[in-house]
Amino acid sequence: MAKIRCMCGNIVRDDDPHDTMYFLTDDEFDVEASGSTLFGKATRVVRCPECERLWIWADDGVLTEYVKGEVIRPDEP
């Protein structure tokens, strides 16, 4: 189990079943493989329930943070 302090101050844990996700690229997913093989290739992502930042753990242990942005749309007539 890993845990970090999010930028908002909340403690985020990678064993929380409501906020832990596993991501695969299309290339990784679009193969003939068992579920356990696919699960092993997935990247672990944890969402902070307070601010909705996404924290992504890389294989080398480095964290990447993604912050929810505002929707930018052109003015509609």
Side-chain angles (χ1 to χ4, degrees), residues 2-69:
K3 62 182 178 178
I4 62 163
R5 183 173 301 277
C6 185
M7 297 301 287
C8 71
N10 190 41
I11 299 294
V12 180
R13 299 168 45 136
D14 71 347
D15 64 347
D16 184 340
H18 299 289
D19 292 312
T20 301
M21 300 166 267
Y22 294 90
F23 287 177
L24 290 168
T25 65
D26 283 345
D27 284 341
E28 291 169 329
F29 184 75
D30 195 19
V31 296
E32 291 293 326
S34 68
S36 60
T37 300
L38 289 175
F39 184 75
K41 293 183 178 209
T43 301
R44 183 177 291 188
V45 179
V46 180
R47 182 182 67 90
C48 176
E50 296 297 320
C51 68
E52 298 188 358
R53 280 180 172 86
L54 296 179
W55 293 95
I56 299 175
W57 270 265
D59 289 337
D60 58 6
V62 175
L63 288 173
T64 302
E65 170 193 14
Y66 287 91
V67 180
K68 184 176 180 180

